[in-house]
Amino acid sequence: MKKLLSLLLAVGMLLSLSLAFAEETKAPDPKSILEGVKLEPSKLLYLEKPLEITGMGIHFNNYPTEYDGCYYFPAIEQKTNAKFMIDWRSTDGYDTHVATTLASGKLPDIIGAGTYGVLNLAEEGAIVQLDEYLDLIPNIVEAVGEDRMAYWRQADGHIYTIPTIVDVPGAHSVMLRKDWLDKLNMEVPTNWDEWMALWRGIRDNDLNENGDATDEIPLALEMGASGERCMSSLMNAFGIRTSSDTQFCVLDDGTYTMVYEHPRYMEFLQTVQDMYKEGLIDQEFTMRKQAELFTAMDSGLVGTAMTWAERARISTGTNRDSGAKDALWECVAPIVGPHGDQITQERNAVTNVWCITSAAQEKGIVEDILRVFNWNFGEEGLILYNYGIEGKTYDMVDGKYVLKPEIVANGFVDYRATGMEYEPFGGKWFTDAFTQCLFKGLTIDELDDASQSFYNGLAVVNNDYFYAMPQTLETEAYKEFRGELITGAAGVCVLRDQCIAGQISVEEFQQKYNELKAMGLQDVIEQGSTAYAEIMGK
């Protein structure tokens, strides 16, 4: 199996495809993919008795929702004799659906925790610990990998979930307007002083040529919907390896703590306060959520940013369509900080999806459910998840899995609409399948400059700088105090923003932060540190 997986993953962008996409290329009707196809029962797993697995989970993106709306679930049934019956729900109000289901006492066999929280389900006795079953799911254990096992465990040290894995480490990238860089006769910065010089150059020149020399934003960073994720790329430039919400980090000695405890945090805070005062940082950073960041980039206002690498392609096209014919958003390596630090967060590859419930345990079907999921992470399941059905959605070309032109002609749209990479259900997504969709089967050399920039941000310029993000551990103290002391109106995130904007000094921030520690943040820190040590086996 390892030989096969290595072959699949090695293909990547080295595929030398000569695919010509006709204008009339149309994706197949999802319901037609299995027409005329008789799948042989799996040689690796075929249950003696039919197994119906009920579930409730969150559906999103443009995947089919009907059981017969795609090839995927019927194919699993033909191969394994297991039929999944999922009650798909939207993100909105999902917590209420979970609570109602728990109150009814009629649990499905598998359930997605969503923001209700895995540990909350565990504390209510609704789900099963999987630690003792790991020998039954070697394919899943291998997919997670030894280096990522800590991110599979919850704050209590136990494993409760069937994950989904995205084996594409890149996601976000620092990017800059290459055409603006050229106007300034500058090269891509390689140290902190050069970055500062670039930001000042963007500030001081009417680079968008609209007659207003004051509307350019040298550096714009996404705040995040909850207000937690702020200034992540600048924190990285100071060597602070943050969690995805920028609230937690792991120190050099392995201690898990809040970022505010990092020995360089106050220096970072003073630096960004000075940058804000100098007009180098987005003056509206507290309001710059993802959509607003994209709008500013598309409107020709932003000179450098940190966001999804794909935005380099999209915003380049939008700016060109608006008249800036030379516009090019170029993905570049991470910002180099004043101490020479240059790091960036890798994609959170392990996402928790399904919990097996106590109802399944009462039925005595936990082990069978795990066998089916383990099959899904094995050879047959991985091919089905990534490439679909041979002759229908992919062909074998020189020993390689090549998605058909009609499947990738619209990027991810038709690929997902047929049910491939069925992310709401979960599996392991190969880099090869990802990039075939991403670039519609073309090789790198065949891509336009904006798409090449996107690819570079995704899989080239950041590769030497990734670090695995520490978890945000949902300890009892975290759950109790997050809404009040972290994200609340008088919480540490608001204090941080006030300090960056110069409304309070760094010394005042530290004083107020210490007051919050006395009110409960110290408990968050201590419980997080203890939980992390337990997870890491220290």
Side-chain angles (χ1 to χ4, degrees), residues 278-290:
E278 208 181 325
L280 304 183
I281 291 177
D282 183 5
Q283 301 296 288
E284 299 180 14
F285 75 93
T286 60
M287 304 298 292
R288 199 72 69 183
K289 307 296 191 296
Q290 187 173 91

Side-chain angles (χ1 to χ4, degrees), residues 45-54 67 76-85 109 363-365 368-369 372:
L45 174 72
Y46 191 81
L47 301 172
E48 292 184 7
K49 297 180 180 179
L51 176 65
E52 183 174 292
I53 303 170
T54 61
Y67 179 80
I76 291 176
E77 184 176 3
Q78 289 186 37
K79 298 291 287 184
T80 69
N81 208 20
K83 182 175 184 177
F84 284 91
M85 301 295 292
D109 301 318
K363 294 179 185 178
I365 60 173
D368 280 341
I369 291 174
V372 175

Side-chain angles (χ1 to χ4, degrees), residues 228-258:
E228 290 173 289
R229 191 171 71 246
C230 176
M231 305 292 170
S232 62
S233 58
L234 287 178
M235 293 177 74
N236 289 169
F238 279 78
I240 305 174
R241 293 169 166 81
T242 75
S243 55
S244 61
D245 58 7
T246 74
Q247 294 303 299
F248 297 90
C249 67
V250 178
L251 303 180
D252 291 343
D253 65 0
T255 300
Y256 179 93
T257 188
M258 297 195 78

Side-chain angles (χ1 to χ4, degrees), residues 110-227:
I110 59 176
I111 190 169
T115 55
Y116 189 87
V118 173
L119 283 181
N120 285 334
L121 289 174
E123 289 168 2
E124 296 185 41
I127 58 176
V128 177
Q129 289 182 10
L130 302 184
D131 307 62
E132 63 183 272
Y133 296 103
L134 296 185
D135 288 345
L136 275 178
I137 51 174
N139 295 333
I140 300 177
V141 172
E142 182 179 2
V144 173
E146 184 176 348
D147 292 342
R148 299 187 296 210
M149 285 293 289
Y151 305 100
W152 193 13
R153 297 185 183 277
Q154 297 297 310
D156 64 356
H158 293 294
I159 294 171
Y160 294 94
T161 62
I162 303 297
T164 187
I165 309 292
V166 179
D167 260 353
V168 184
H172 293 83
S173 181
V174 173
M175 59 190 70
L176 52 77
R177 281 287 296 266
K178 179 64 167 56
D179 51 318
W180 289 12
L181 191 72
D182 293 342
K183 288 180 181 179
L184 293 170
N185 292 316
M186 290 183 173
E187 300 294 330
V188 175
T190 58
N191 58 52
W192 182 251
D193 289 341
E194 290 175 1
W195 276 107
M196 292 291 285
L198 172 59
W199 291 323
R200 287 172 180 138
I202 295 170
R203 177 197 62 191
D204 296 338
N205 295 273
D206 184 18
L207 296 176
N208 60 17
E209 299 179 349
N210 66 353
D212 184 353
T214 65
D215 66 348
E216 284 85 359
I217 304 170
L219 174 61
L221 299 169
E222 178 188 333
M223 170 61 79
S226 66

